[in-house]
Amino acid sequence: MALSVLTALDAATLQYYHYKAIVIAGMGLFTDAFNLFCLPLVMILLGRVYYPHKSYNAPVVVSSLLAASTLLGTVFGQLIFGWLGDRQGRRRVYMISLLTMVFSAFACGFSMGKSRACVLATLGVFRFTLGVGIGGDYPLSATIMSEFANKRTRGQFIAAVFSMQGFGILFSGIVTIVVCALFNFASHKASEDTKLLMTDMAWRIIVMLGAIPAALTCYLRSRMPETARYTALVEQNEQQAAREMKQVLDVELEPIPQEPAEVPQSLSLPSYPFFSKTFIRLHGHNLFGCACTWMLVDVVFYTLNLFQNQIYGHPSHSTDANTAKVFKEVIRVAALQALIALYSTLPGYFAAVFFIERMGRVKMQIIGFFFMAIGSFALGIPYKSYKDKDSNKGFMALFGFTLFFANFGPNTTTFIVPAELFPARFRTTCHGISGAFGKLGALIGLLVFSVVSPDNYSSQDEDSKSLKKVFEMWGCVCLIGMVITYFFTPETRGRSLEDNETENVGGLKMRRFLTCLRSSSSARTDSSLAFTAAEPAADV
């Protein structure tokens, strides 16, 4: 008997558990976004407490290092938990990554010591372990959702899981506003020393609150069964897969024999090891395409989000010695972050959920990269004129436009495609590698912006020229992403995961790419020969 479990999963109607799985799987991404994108807000409070000699403003390099510690941890988490997810099962490793996130987010609020160096060092360590947990959540959330979903709405469900990142960005701003407003109200009659202590408490509370949504889903994750596809295809136990699927989904199955059915040869465990010559031949171009496009989009996406306050011309310098004013400054910056999330980030995610099965992954990714490039060039080329204006509404509109298409396109599709494209035996490993390259791209973006940050320049003209070049560079990065998407990203819409396992769906594009290279090389050779033939003979 063919694997009726897989057929039933592909044909299953939408049920309550599908929506429940979105929330359970999405809480990890919610925690990721909350803890990462609250950092620019928290750094204003940290600057007031620990950088009095720097006009109460922490240097950009310090905030970049703290963000980098989280991103570096995410790289390790994606590689380690991705590898474990294919060997130990999705469910068991999924729970470990969640507990790592919850513990580390709480621990960030208990960063130890009284000196600046000690507090920032321990905060960096805890943010690294937080990144490890977050990194593990990426491949496991995407894979679990893809293996539970039917093939007709699979993309929408994975996109909906990823959209929780947008809610995390929004709520990081809202929570920060609420916490700072409460402390601001309570500090009216307090002494200056007490206000400084309250500022130190405020940032700790903010980072700790990010752990609560993930902690609330611990029980629900512990009750999740292993995915039927992993049990059937990797553990080769169809009976157990049927039982696990019936726990959560109402599906009709053919009678399953007492003895496990023989798995068709096309769906049996790959006889080749990971990163063997056979793997490279069958899946290497797909892995290259997923990793490169994810890296390119994250170079731009994380820079725009983490440094948006410096980019659009409102640096958060709290140079006043009055501690109470820092809360108002954080509230202002957090309100701008929440506003951008409302009018660009979340609508981009919602549009991705709506169009992903109508347009397909490849088309959306190309369109997203294209309009990100247009937005980057439109922001960068006239950047100085935007900076010189008293009102920058046009700049903010273009900034939101760029973020909208990032989330509509490659920021979402690069999360979806690796969860659909690779064999079940290598699925979380390949997704983890792709995501790790993405976070390496984010680290590159942080490094570049740290070098060209306004802190490094004494004049606004030098600052404007450097940021102008960064936007133009990001536009070129997006154009490269378009080209790699066209040649290396196969369309997975409407196909079962098993079809993607057994068919070399990216091979046609790879052959097209090689044909273009050969044609280009042949054209250059023919042109050279024609030029040589046209030269007059040398005089003897």
Side-chain angles (χ1 to χ4, degrees):
M1 179 184 66
L3 290 177
S4 60
V5 172
L6 306 180
T7 304
L9 278 171
D10 280 334
T13 57
L14 299 184
Q15 300 176 35
Y16 166 73
Y17 188 78
H18 287 124
Y19 299 99
K20 180 179 176 181
I22 290 174
V23 177
I24 297 173
M27 278 301 105
L29 294 162
F30 181 98
T31 303
D32 164 26
F34 185 102
N35 283 280
L36 190 59
F37 297 112
C38 75
L39 182 63
L41 310 174
V42 164
M43 288 308 300
I44 304 174
L45 300 170
L46 279 167
R48 181 62 187 86
V49 178
Y50 297 106
Y51 285 91
H53 64 289
K54 290 281 188 181
S55 299
Y56 310 103
N57 188 70
V60 170
V61 67
V62 174
S63 59
S64 297
L65 286 173
L66 287 174
S69 67
T70 312
L71 293 171
L72 188 62
T74 305
V75 171
F76 282 95
Q78 287 172 321
L79 295 175
I80 294 169
F81 283 103
W83 179 79
L84 289 173
D86 283 332
R87 283 149 185 80
Q88 301 297 321
R90 315 328 188 191
R91 176 181 174 273
R92 183 185 307 172
V93 181
Y94 200 35
M95 193 64 189
I96 296 173
S97 72
L98 180 70
L99 293 174
T100 304
M101 274 193 295
V102 173
F103 166 79
S104 300
F106 276 117
C108 286
F110 291 98
S111 297
M112 298 169 288
K114 294 183 179 180
S115 68
R116 179 180 68 201
C118 188
V119 170
L120 294 179
T122 52
L123 179 60
V125 170
F126 289 136
R127 287 189 67 84
F128 176 84
T129 59
L130 173 66
V132 172
I134 290 170
D137 212 76
Y138 270 76
L140 294 167
S141 293
T143 298
I144 286 173
M145 198 69 247
S146 72
E147 292 182 345
F148 270 122
N150 63 52
K151 65 180 181 181
R152 184 173 57 85
T153 59
R154 184 178 61 235
Q156 287 182 307
F157 280 114
I158 305 175
V161 168
F162 195 64
S163 71
M164 297 297 287
Q165 188 180 72
F167 286 103
I169 296 173
L170 174 63
F171 275 86
S172 68
I174 293 174
V175 167
T176 302
I177 291 171
V178 172
V179 171
C180 288
L182 291 173
F183 273 99
N184 184 49
F185 177 79
S187 66
H188 283 162
K189 296 182 180 181
S191 65
E192 194 64 27
D193 289 341
T194 303
K195 290 177 182 178
L196 201 63
L197 180 61
M198 294 172 74
T199 305
D200 194 49
M201 291 175 59
W203 74 261
R204 295 175 186 274
I205 291 173
I206 291 169
V207 296
M208 291 172 67
L209 288 174
I212 293 178
L216 293 176
T217 61
C218 282
Y219 175 75
L220 294 176
R221 280 201 184 184
S222 68
R223 303 292 296 174
M224 290 183 74
E226 183 58 81
T227 67
R229 280 188 161 93
Y230 180 85
T231 304
L233 295 176
V234 180
E235 296 183 344
Q236 304 281 283
N237 189 338
E238 188 179 2
Q239 282 191 327
Q240 179 64 22
R243 286 193 294 268
E244 289 171 345
M245 187 172 64
K246 291 290 287 183
Q247 289 179 32
V248 294
L249 294 176
D250 182 18
V251 292
E252 294 294 331
L253 290 173
E254 298 176 12
I256 297 178
Q258 293 298 316
E259 295 297 325
E262 182 180 355
V263 179
Q265 183 64 32
S266 60
L267 294 179
S268 61
L269 281 174
S271 57
Y272 51 88
F274 188 62
F275 274 155
S276 62
K277 290 183 179 179
T278 304
F279 176 87
I280 296 298
R281 176 174 58 82
L282 294 176
H283 309 290
H285 47 281
N286 292 334
L287 187 57
F288 173 82
C290 291
C292 283
T293 51
W294 202 332
M295 181 177 69
L296 293 171
V297 69
D298 275 5
V299 168
V300 182
F301 178 78
Y302 277 87
T303 305
L304 293 180
N305 276 283
L306 288 173
F307 298 108
Q308 59 182 250
N309 199 50
Q310 288 93 334
I311 288 172
Y312 52 61
H314 288 292
S316 53
H317 292 272
S318 297
T319 58
D320 198 303
N322 186 351
T323 306
K325 291 186 177 181
V326 75
F327 293 121
K328 296 179 181 179
E329 174 67 13
V330 175
I331 290 171
R332 182 188 67 81
V333 178
L336 285 171
Q337 179 173 304
L339 179 63
I340 291 173
L342 281 172
Y343 82 77
S344 67
T345 303
L346 279 174
Y349 285 120
F350 295 155
V353 173
F354 182 79
F355 285 106
I356 192 70
E357 297 297 353
R358 292 169 172 81
M359 297 178 62
R361 287 70 162 147
V362 173
K363 188 180 293 185
M364 285 177 58
Q365 190 160 303
I366 290 175
I367 290 172
F369 269 128
F370 175 76
F371 283 108
M372 284 177 68
I374 295 297
S376 297
F377 287 128
L379 289 168
I381 294 172
Y383 184 78
K384 189 176 185 303
S385 64
Y386 290 124
K387 203 75 177 287
D388 293 340
K389 292 180 180 179
D390 294 333
S391 174
N392 55 3
K393 292 180 180 178
F395 184 88
M396 294 293 290
L398 283 171
F399 190 85
F401 171 89
T402 307
L403 284 179
F404 173 87
F405 279 101
N407 295 309
F408 166 80
N411 191 44
T412 298
T413 54
T414 53
F415 180 79
I416 295 173
V417 173
E420 301 179 309
L421 195 54
F422 299 100
R425 184 66 180 84
F426 305 133
R427 189 166 290 143
T428 58
T429 301
C430 292
H431 195 287
I433 291 172
S434 302
F437 271 86
K439 294 304 173 283
L440 288 175
L443 285 169
I444 293 171
L446 289 179
L447 175 63
V448 171
F449 194 86
S450 297
V451 172
V452 304
S453 74
D455 284 2
N456 299 328
Y457 297 96
S458 57
S459 69
Q460 288 191 352
D461 286 342
E462 291 179 336
D463 172 24
S464 297
K465 288 179 182 178
S466 64
L467 289 177
K468 168 185 168 70
K469 291 178 181 177
V470 168
F471 277 115
E472 292 170 352
M473 190 189 309
W474 288 176
C476 294
V477 165
C478 294
L479 293 178
I480 295 172
M482 284 180 57
V483 174
I484 293 180
T485 298
Y486 180 78
F487 284 113
F488 289 95
T489 303
E491 183 55 67
T492 55
R493 176 181 57 165
R495 300 169 58 90
S496 72
L497 296 179
E498 288 65 53
D499 288 340
N500 291 333
E501 287 188 32
T502 56
E503 297 178 25
N504 190 2
V505 294
L508 179 61
K509 286 197 169 188
M510 185 64 176
R511 289 193 293 271
R512 185 191 304 165
F513 176 72
L514 294 175
T515 301
C516 287
L517 288 181
R518 293 192 190 101
S519 299
S520 176
S521 177
S522 300
R524 287 197 301 270
T525 303
D526 293 344
S527 175
S528 176
L529 290 173
F531 178 76
T532 303
E535 287 183 340
D539 293 334
V540 179

PDB file of all heavy atoms in Angstrom, residues 499-528:
ATOM      1  N   ASP A 499       6.577  14.993  -3.768  1.00  0.00           N
ATOM      2  CA  ASP A 499       6.980  15.268  -5.150  1.00  0.00           C
ATOM      3  C   ASP A 499       8.290  16.050  -5.173  1.00  0.00           C
ATOM      4  O   ASP A 499       9.161  15.809  -6.010  1.00  0.00           O
ATOM      5  CB  ASP A 499       5.899  16.065  -5.878  1.00  0.00           C
ATOM      6  CG  ASP A 499       4.680  15.229  -6.196  1.00  0.00           C
ATOM      7  OD1 ASP A 499       4.806  13.990  -6.206  1.00  0.00           O
ATOM      8  OD2 ASP A 499       3.600  15.803  -6.422  1.00  0.00           O
ATOM      9  N   ASN A 500       8.419  17.006  -4.264  1.00  0.00           N
ATOM     10  CA  ASN A 500       9.650  17.779  -4.202  1.00  0.00           C
ATOM     11  C   ASN A 500      10.829  16.918  -3.756  1.00  0.00           C
ATOM     12  O   ASN A 500      11.971  17.174  -4.141  1.00  0.00           O
ATOM     13  CB  ASN A 500       9.493  18.953  -3.234  1.00  0.00           C
ATOM     14  CG  ASN A 500       8.528  19.997  -3.762  1.00  0.00           C
ATOM     15  OD1 ASN A 500       8.345  20.145  -4.964  1.00  0.00           O
ATOM     16  ND2 ASN A 500       7.904  20.721  -2.854  1.00  0.00           N
ATOM     17  N   GLU A 501      10.557  15.906  -2.935  1.00  0.00           N
ATOM     18  CA  GLU A 501      11.620  15.001  -2.497  1.00  0.00           C
ATOM     19  C   GLU A 501      12.160  14.159  -3.635  1.00  0.00           C
ATOM     20  O   GLU A 501      13.365  13.946  -3.754  1.00  0.00           O
ATOM     21  CB  GLU A 501      11.103  14.053  -1.413  1.00  0.00           C
ATOM     22  CG  GLU A 501      10.872  14.687  -0.056  1.00  0.00           C
ATOM     23  CD  GLU A 501      10.547  13.633   0.984  1.00  0.00           C
ATOM     24  OE1 GLU A 501      11.059  12.515   0.851  1.00  0.00           O
ATOM     25  OE2 GLU A 501       9.791  13.931   1.922  1.00  0.00           O
ATOM     26  N   THR A 502      11.271  13.661  -4.465  1.00  0.00           N
ATOM     27  CA  THR A 502      11.654  12.652  -5.450  1.00  0.00           C
ATOM     28  C   THR A 502      11.961  13.225  -6.812  1.00  0.00           C
ATOM     29  O   THR A 502      12.469  12.529  -7.663  1.00  0.00           O
ATOM     30  CB  THR A 502      10.528  11.612  -5.596  1.00  0.00           C
ATOM     31  OG1 THR A 502       9.308  12.295  -5.952  1.00  0.00           O
ATOM     32  CG2 THR A 502      10.312  10.876  -4.287  1.00  0.00           C
ATOM     33  N   GLU A 503      11.642  14.510  -7.035  1.00  0.00           N
ATOM     34  CA  GLU A 503      11.896  15.119  -8.331  1.00  0.00           C
ATOM     35  C   GLU A 503      12.886  16.258  -8.174  1.00  0.00           C
ATOM     36  O   GLU A 503      12.838  17.015  -7.220  1.00  0.00           O
ATOM     37  CB  GLU A 503      10.591  15.658  -8.938  1.00  0.00           C
ATOM     38  CG  GLU A 503       9.570  14.565  -9.222  1.00  0.00           C
ATOM     39  CD  GLU A 503       8.282  15.152  -9.775  1.00  0.00           C
ATOM     40  OE1 GLU A 503       8.342  16.249 -10.359  1.00  0.00           O
ATOM     41  OE2 GLU A 503       7.235  14.521  -9.621  1.00  0.00           O
ATOM     42  N   ASN A 504      13.761  16.384  -9.128  1.00  0.00           N
ATOM     43  CA  ASN A 504      14.763  17.445  -9.104  1.00  0.00           C
ATOM     44  C   ASN A 504      14.120  18.729  -9.623  1.00  0.00           C
ATOM     45  O   ASN A 504      14.328  19.139 -10.759  1.00  0.00           O
ATOM     46  CB  ASN A 504      15.956  17.035  -9.974  1.00  0.00           C
ATOM     47  CG  ASN A 504      17.126  17.969  -9.818  1.00  0.00           C
ATOM     48  OD1 ASN A 504      17.083  18.912  -9.024  1.00  0.00           O
ATOM     49  ND2 ASN A 504      18.181  17.724 -10.576  1.00  0.00           N
ATOM     50  N   VAL A 505      13.298  19.378  -8.763  1.00  0.00           N
ATOM     51  CA  VAL A 505      12.474  20.492  -9.229  1.00  0.00           C
ATOM     52  C   VAL A 505      13.295  21.719  -9.600  1.00  0.00           C
ATOM     53  O   VAL A 505      12.809  22.590 -10.298  1.00  0.00           O
ATOM     54  CB  VAL A 505      11.431  20.876  -8.155  1.00  0.00           C
ATOM     55  CG1 VAL A 505      10.448  19.770  -7.950  1.00  0.00           C
ATOM     56  CG2 VAL A 505      12.103  21.243  -6.833  1.00  0.00           C
ATOM     57  N   GLY A 506      14.522  21.785  -9.123  1.00  0.00           N
ATOM     58  CA  GLY A 506      15.349  22.940  -9.478  1.00  0.00           C
ATOM     59  C   GLY A 506      16.262  22.679 -10.654  1.00  0.00           C
ATOM     60  O   GLY A 506      16.968  23.576 -11.098  1.00  0.00           O
ATOM     61  N   GLY A 507      16.250  21.457 -11.167  1.00  0.00           N
ATOM     62  CA  GLY A 507      17.182  21.116 -12.225  1.00  0.00           C
ATOM     63  C   GLY A 507      16.980  21.899 -13.503  1.00  0.00           C
ATOM     64  O   GLY A 507      17.931  22.257 -14.191  1.00  0.00           O
ATOM     65  N   LEU A 508      15.715  22.180 -13.867  1.00  0.00           N
ATOM     66  CA  LEU A 508      15.444  22.909 -15.097  1.00  0.00           C
ATOM     67  C   LEU A 508      16.035  24.309 -15.050  1.00  0.00           C
ATOM     68  O   LEU A 508      16.652  24.776 -16.005  1.00  0.00           O
ATOM     69  CB  LEU A 508      13.927  22.984 -15.326  1.00  0.00           C
ATOM     70  CG  LEU A 508      13.471  23.752 -16.574  1.00  0.00           C
ATOM     71  CD1 LEU A 508      14.030  23.098 -17.827  1.00  0.00           C
ATOM     72  CD2 LEU A 508      11.947  23.811 -16.636  1.00  0.00           C
ATOM     73  N   LYS A 509      15.859  24.977 -13.921  1.00  0.00           N
ATOM     74  CA  LYS A 509      16.419  26.328 -13.790  1.00  0.00           C
ATOM     75  C   LYS A 509      17.945  26.287 -13.815  1.00  0.00           C
ATOM     76  O   LYS A 509      18.589  27.185 -14.355  1.00  0.00           O
ATOM     77  CB  LYS A 509      15.922  26.980 -12.501  1.00  0.00           C
ATOM     78  CG  LYS A 509      14.480  27.430 -12.575  1.00  0.00           C
ATOM     79  CD  LYS A 509      14.183  28.415 -11.476  1.00  0.00           C
ATOM     80  CE  LYS A 509      12.822  29.059 -11.718  1.00  0.00           C
ATOM     81  NZ  LYS A 509      12.571  30.168 -10.786  1.00  0.00           N
ATOM     82  N   MET A 510      18.511  25.264 -13.193  1.00  0.00           N
ATOM     83  CA  MET A 510      19.963  25.152 -13.194  1.00  0.00           C
ATOM     84  C   MET A 510      20.474  24.968 -14.620  1.00  0.00           C
ATOM     85  O   MET A 510      21.465  25.595 -15.022  1.00  0.00           O
ATOM     86  CB  MET A 510      20.381  23.969 -12.320  1.00  0.00           C
ATOM     87  CG  MET A 510      21.876  23.822 -12.154  1.00  0.00           C
ATOM     88  SD  MET A 510      22.578  25.227 -11.293  1.00  0.00           S
ATOM     89  CE  MET A 510      24.285  24.695 -11.150  1.00  0.00           C
ATOM     90  N   ARG A 511      19.787  24.130 -15.396  1.00  0.00           N
ATOM     91  CA  ARG A 511      20.202  23.935 -16.787  1.00  0.00           C
ATOM     92  C   ARG A 511      20.043  25.221 -17.584  1.00  0.00           C
ATOM     93  O   ARG A 511      20.858  25.545 -18.452  1.00  0.00           O
ATOM     94  CB  ARG A 511      19.380  22.803 -17.415  1.00  0.00           C
ATOM     95  CG  ARG A 511      19.748  21.418 -16.871  1.00  0.00           C
ATOM     96  CD  ARG A 511      19.149  20.317 -17.730  1.00  0.00           C
ATOM     97  NE  ARG A 511      17.702  20.305 -17.643  1.00  0.00           N
ATOM     98  CZ  ARG A 511      17.022  19.620 -16.728  1.00  0.00           C
ATOM     99  NH1 ARG A 511      17.667  18.924 -15.794  1.00  0.00           N
ATOM    100  NH2 ARG A 511      15.695  19.632 -16.709  1.00  0.00           N
ATOM    101  N   ARG A 512      18.965  25.966 -17.282  1.00  0.00           N
ATOM    102  CA  ARG A 512      18.761  27.247 -17.961  1.00  0.00           C
ATOM    103  C   ARG A 512      19.897  28.208 -17.646  1.00  0.00           C
ATOM    104  O   ARG A 512      20.394  28.922 -18.516  1.00  0.00           O
ATOM    105  CB  ARG A 512      17.421  27.843 -17.529  1.00  0.00           C
ATOM    106  CG  ARG A 512      17.042  29.121 -18.254  1.00  0.00           C
ATOM    107  CD  ARG A 512      15.847  29.781 -17.598  1.00  0.00           C
ATOM    108  NE  ARG A 512      14.707  28.884 -17.526  1.00  0.00           N
ATOM    109  CZ  ARG A 512      13.645  29.105 -16.756  1.00  0.00           C
ATOM    110  NH1 ARG A 512      13.608  30.182 -15.989  1.00  0.00           N
ATOM    111  NH2 ARG A 512      12.652  28.262 -16.737  1.00  0.00           N
ATOM    112  N   PHE A 513      20.325  28.221 -16.376  1.00  0.00           N
ATOM    113  CA  PHE A 513      21.416  29.104 -15.965  1.00  0.00           C
ATOM    114  C   PHE A 513      22.710  28.719 -16.677  1.00  0.00           C
ATOM    115  O   PHE A 513      23.431  29.582 -17.197  1.00  0.00           O
ATOM    116  CB  PHE A 513      21.590  29.012 -14.449  1.00  0.00           C
ATOM    117  CG  PHE A 513      22.739  29.805 -13.915  1.00  0.00           C
ATOM    118  CD1 PHE A 513      22.679  31.188 -13.866  1.00  0.00           C
ATOM    119  CD2 PHE A 513      23.884  29.154 -13.451  1.00  0.00           C
ATOM    120  CE1 PHE A 513      23.749  31.926 -13.366  1.00  0.00           C
ATOM    121  CE2 PHE A 513      24.946  29.889 -12.950  1.00  0.00           C
ATOM    122  CZ  PHE A 513      24.875  31.276 -12.913  1.00  0.00           C
ATOM    123  N   LEU A 514      23.016  27.411 -16.715  1.00  0.00           N
ATOM    124  CA  LEU A 514      24.233  26.959 -17.381  1.00  0.00           C
ATOM    125  C   LEU A 514      24.175  27.240 -18.874  1.00  0.00           C
ATOM    126  O   LEU A 514      25.193  27.585 -19.496  1.00  0.00           O
ATOM    127  CB  LEU A 514      24.435  25.457 -17.131  1.00  0.00           C
ATOM    128  CG  LEU A 514      24.722  25.059 -15.675  1.00  0.00           C
ATOM    129  CD1 LEU A 514      24.782  23.542 -15.534  1.00  0.00           C
ATOM    130  CD2 LEU A 514      26.026  25.680 -15.189  1.00  0.00           C
ATOM    131  N   THR A 515      22.979  27.106 -19.466  1.00  0.00           N
ATOM    132  CA  THR A 515      22.824  27.408 -20.883  1.00  0.00           C
ATOM    133  C   THR A 515      23.123  28.879 -21.154  1.00  0.00           C
ATOM    134  O   THR A 515      23.780  29.234 -22.135  1.00  0.00           O
ATOM    135  CB  THR A 515      21.398  27.064 -21.353  1.00  0.00           C
ATOM    136  OG1 THR A 515      21.161  25.673 -21.125  1.00  0.00           O
ATOM    137  CG2 THR A 515      21.232  27.379 -22.828  1.00  0.00           C
ATOM    138  N   CYS A 516      22.632  29.754 -20.267  1.00  0.00           N
ATOM    139  CA  CYS A 516      22.901  31.192 -20.419  1.00  0.00           C
ATOM    140  C   CYS A 516      24.391  31.474 -20.330  1.00  0.00           C
ATOM    141  O   CYS A 516      24.922  32.280 -21.096  1.00  0.00           O
ATOM    142  CB  CYS A 516      22.152  31.981 -19.349  1.00  0.00           C
ATOM    143  SG  CYS A 516      20.378  32.083 -19.623  1.00  0.00           S
ATOM    144  N   LEU A 517      25.068  30.799 -19.392  1.00  0.00           N
ATOM    145  CA  LEU A 517      26.502  31.002 -19.263  1.00  0.00           C
ATOM    146  C   LEU A 517      27.239  30.539 -20.511  1.00  0.00           C
ATOM    147  O   LEU A 517      28.140  31.219 -21.017  1.00  0.00           O
ATOM    148  CB  LEU A 517      27.033  30.251 -18.041  1.00  0.00           C
ATOM    149  CG  LEU A 517      26.682  30.819 -16.665  1.00  0.00           C
ATOM    150  CD1 LEU A 517      27.310  29.951 -15.567  1.00  0.00           C
ATOM    151  CD2 LEU A 517      27.175  32.255 -16.519  1.00  0.00           C
ATOM    152  N   ARG A 518      26.822  29.356 -21.027  1.00  0.00           N
ATOM    153  CA  ARG A 518      27.482  28.833 -22.224  1.00  0.00           C
ATOM    154  C   ARG A 518      27.214  29.738 -23.416  1.00  0.00           C
ATOM    155  O   ARG A 518      28.099  30.001 -24.233  1.00  0.00           O
ATOM    156  CB  ARG A 518      26.994  27.415 -22.517  1.00  0.00           C
ATOM    157  CG  ARG A 518      27.417  26.386 -21.470  1.00  0.00           C
ATOM    158  CD  ARG A 518      27.161  24.975 -21.973  1.00  0.00           C
ATOM    159  NE  ARG A 518      27.344  23.984 -20.917  1.00  0.00           N
ATOM    160  CZ  ARG A 518      26.367  23.416 -20.246  1.00  0.00           C
ATOM    161  NH1 ARG A 518      25.102  23.730 -20.516  1.00  0.00           N
ATOM    162  NH2 ARG A 518      26.622  22.533 -19.304  1.00  0.00           N
ATOM    163  N   SER A 519      25.956  30.219 -23.522  1.00  0.00           N
ATOM    164  CA  SER A 519      25.611  31.100 -24.639  1.00  0.00           C
ATOM    165  C   SER A 519      26.418  32.387 -24.591  1.00  0.00           C
ATOM    166  O   SER A 519      26.918  32.879 -25.595  1.00  0.00           O
ATOM    167  CB  SER A 519      24.110  31.424 -24.606  1.00  0.00           C
ATOM    168  OG  SER A 519      23.342  30.260 -24.726  1.00  0.00           O
ATOM    169  N   SER A 520      26.559  32.920 -23.374  1.00  0.00           N
ATOM    170  CA  SER A 520      27.332  34.149 -23.206  1.00  0.00           C
ATOM    171  C   SER A 520      28.792  33.921 -23.567  1.00  0.00           C
ATOM    172  O   SER A 520      29.425  34.736 -24.242  1.00  0.00           O
ATOM    173  CB  SER A 520      27.210  34.642 -21.767  1.00  0.00           C
ATOM    174  OG  SER A 520      28.010  35.776 -21.552  1.00  0.00           O
ATOM    175  N   SER A 521      29.323  32.761 -23.117  1.00  0.00           N
ATOM    176  CA  SER A 521      30.715  32.441 -23.424  1.00  0.00           C
ATOM    177  C   SER A 521      30.914  32.239 -24.920  1.00  0.00           C
ATOM    178  O   SER A 521      31.891  32.708 -25.503  1.00  0.00           O
ATOM    179  CB  SER A 521      31.135  31.190 -22.655  1.00  0.00           C
ATOM    180  OG  SER A 521      32.449  30.811 -22.977  1.00  0.00           O
ATOM    181  N   SER A 522      29.944  31.548 -25.554  1.00  0.00           N
ATOM    182  CA  SER A 522      30.035  31.313 -26.995  1.00  0.00           C
ATOM    183  C   SER A 522      29.957  32.617 -27.761  1.00  0.00           C
ATOM    184  O   SER A 522      30.672  32.834 -28.748  1.00  0.00           O
ATOM    185  CB  SER A 522      28.926  30.366 -27.455  1.00  0.00           C
ATOM    186  OG  SER A 522      29.038  29.126 -26.801  1.00  0.00           O
ATOM    187  N   ALA A 523      29.080  33.514 -27.296  1.00  0.00           N
ATOM    188  CA  ALA A 523      28.936  34.800 -27.971  1.00  0.00           C
ATOM    189  C   ALA A 523      30.224  35.604 -27.895  1.00  0.00           C
ATOM    190  O   ALA A 523      30.653  36.235 -28.877  1.00  0.00           O
ATOM    191  CB  ALA A 523      27.781  35.592 -27.352  1.00  0.00           C
ATOM    192  N   ARG A 524      30.890  35.564 -26.748  1.00  0.00           N
ATOM    193  CA  ARG A 524      32.157  36.288 -26.610  1.00  0.00           C
ATOM    194  C   ARG A 524      33.227  35.680 -27.502  1.00  0.00           C
ATOM    195  O   ARG A 524      34.019  36.380 -28.126  1.00  0.00           O
ATOM    196  CB  ARG A 524      32.609  36.265 -25.153  1.00  0.00           C
ATOM    197  CG  ARG A 524      31.810  37.166 -24.244  1.00  0.00           C
ATOM    198  CD  ARG A 524      32.549  37.413 -22.921  1.00  0.00           C
ATOM    199  NE  ARG A 524      32.808  36.171 -22.212  1.00  0.00           N
ATOM    200  CZ  ARG A 524      31.981  35.644 -21.333  1.00  0.00           C
ATOM    201  NH1 ARG A 524      30.833  36.238 -21.045  1.00  0.00           N
ATOM    202  NH2 ARG A 524      32.290  34.520 -20.720  1.00  0.00           N
ATOM    203  N   THR A 525      33.233  34.330 -27.583  1.00  0.00           N
ATOM    204  CA  THR A 525      34.220  33.658 -28.430  1.00  0.00           C
ATOM    205  C   THR A 525      33.999  33.983 -29.890  1.00  0.00           C
ATOM    206  O   THR A 525      34.930  34.295 -30.632  1.00  0.00           O
ATOM    207  CB  THR A 525      34.143  32.134 -28.211  1.00  0.00           C
ATOM    208  OG1 THR A 525      34.346  31.853 -26.828  1.00  0.00           O
ATOM    209  CG2 THR A 525      35.194  31.423 -29.039  1.00  0.00           C
ATOM    210  N   ASP A 526      32.705  33.915 -30.337  1.00  0.00           N
ATOM    211  CA  ASP A 526      32.391  34.221 -31.729  1.00  0.00           C
ATOM    212  C   ASP A 526      32.754  35.658 -32.070  1.00  0.00           C
ATOM    213  O   ASP A 526      33.268  35.962 -33.132  1.00  0.00           O
ATOM    214  CB  ASP A 526      30.899  33.988 -31.992  1.00  0.00           C
ATOM    215  CG  ASP A 526      30.538  32.515 -31.889  1.00  0.00           C
ATOM    216  OD1 ASP A 526      31.475  31.679 -31.925  1.00  0.00           O
ATOM    217  OD2 ASP A 526      29.337  32.206 -31.733  1.00  0.00           O
ATOM    218  N   SER A 527      32.478  36.563 -31.122  1.00  0.00           N
ATOM    219  CA  SER A 527      32.799  37.968 -31.341  1.00  0.00           C
ATOM    220  C   SER A 527      34.302  38.164 -31.476  1.00  0.00           C
ATOM    221  O   SER A 527      34.777  38.927 -32.315  1.00  0.00           O
ATOM    222  CB  SER A 527      32.250  38.804 -30.185  1.00  0.00           C
ATOM    223  OG  SER A 527      32.638  40.149 -30.321  1.00  0.00           O
ATOM    224  N   SER A 528      35.062  37.444 -30.650  1.00  0.00           N
ATOM    225  CA  SER A 528      36.510  37.556 -30.706  1.00  0.00           C
ATOM    226  C   SER A 528      37.058  37.026 -32.023  1.00  0.00           C
ATOM    227  O   SER A 528      37.930  37.619 -32.641  1.00  0.00           O
ATOM    228  CB  SER A 528      37.125  36.790 -29.537  1.00  0.00           C
ATOM    229  OG  SER A 528      38.526  36.799 -29.604  1.00  0.00           O
TER     230      SER A 528
END
